[in-house]
Amino acid sequence: MIGALRSYGFEVREVCFALATEPVRRGNDRKEPSARFVDALNKNRAAKERWEKDSRAKILDGRLADRTDDGKVGDGQPTEKLVDVLCAVEICRLAVAMRDGKHQARGIISVSRDMDIIPAYRFAEEVGIPVWAAAHDGVQWRHDDHRWLLLDEEALATAVDLRTDPRGHQLRMVIARTCLADTPQTMNIDYVDETTHRIMLSAPEGSLGSMPVDRLPGKALPGRRVDLWPVGVDLGRGRNDFPRVAFDISRRSLPSGLDTATVNRWLDETSVEIQLASKHRRLRVPPGFLLPGMNVMVHVDANAGLRYVGSLDPRPALPGVWRHKNVTTVQITEPLEPYVSRGFVEADGQPILLEHLRREYIEGGARFPAFLTHPRSNWGPYGSAMSIGSRLPQPSK
């Protein structure tokens, strides 16, 4: 979390994790827990032990409920309890400690989309402590309830300690290109997802894939290598699941449901306008990587609509800080109109025009996290960027 939020202009002093580390006791406690429940509880306890080796980490102990025999909740998926209330109480406790000068921090970042915590945000603001709700999507639309911060996929990969390369947007590009491969791919079996009944796969070069369990001859043993054909894309069960290449033991047909499009422009923090065949379409995408002119792969479904798979092109070489990262901080020098300001990139002084899609108190010297939406051109010295968070605190002196 400390590394993930550094590019957004925050110096994180302490990280509190709400984690289900204790079992929910039920009845006479004679019920035999499911293997899935035991595995989840052990993983959470191992994470707690690992995190607490760093003095900046603090664990808020929640509880884990075994739902195997409920017949209704998440196909038996273990369920966390108390964690949202623990977060809300901790936000209030920290806010009071900061107000009274008993904590060195000057604000709170809540990495959650949970609306149940909004009353805690409001309490903290009432006692004079700013709170930012950070997530990959959605929090920008609730700007009347709290300050907000959009995390790109690079930040999310850093936050979960995904040290493999490629990751984030680069991993999407590898997956999109693999979908179009016309030769078999050597994939490693990672594990079997019992909920979806699919085998999760990975490749040495970083691509991710999956296939139905019943399509693989022999046992799906972790570490086994198999040669498979790309036949489409697996978008997971949720709208924001990371895509995987869909594989099979043979190519019965060309990958279905996939098409290519060209990015025209950014419409807001999490969507772009694309040219798909002869039509202009809106496409939801993660913030921070795509630029006009780049080609992307999309999944087209008559019922579910368009889904973003990944870029087919690397982002072109760009000057300065944009060569190394997707997100940076911008300082305002001159507000031009209600939703546009002139400023500079703090990391290297590049001049930039910054778009604000939400009403903010904008003045000279104000700081915002942002990503590039259009590079500088021969027609002028300014590129354009888009704010992806509420106003940042001033750096510590």
Side-chain angles (χ1 to χ4, degrees), residues 52-100:
E52 285 185 332
K53 292 179 180 178
D54 193 311
S55 61
R56 298 168 294 183
K58 175 182 178 181
I59 307 302
L60 311 175
D61 292 294
R63 297 177 185 173
L64 194 67
D66 190 353
R67 296 303 194 192
T68 306
D69 60 355
D70 285 6
K72 57 181 179 180
V73 180
D75 299 324
Q77 185 71 25
T79 305
E80 289 184 320
K81 296 293 183 180
L82 304 183
V83 293
D84 52 350
V85 177
L86 285 167
C87 287
V89 171
E90 186 67 13
I91 287 169
C92 296
R93 188 194 68 79
L94 286 170
V96 171
M98 293 177 197
R99 179 198 63 184
D100 296 343

Side-chain angles (χ1 to χ4, degrees), residues 19 27 38 125 192 203 209 244-245 296 308 338 368:
L19 190 65
V38 172
E125 295 281 355
V192 176
R244 289 174 174 262
V245 183
V296 296
Y308 175 58
F368 293 90

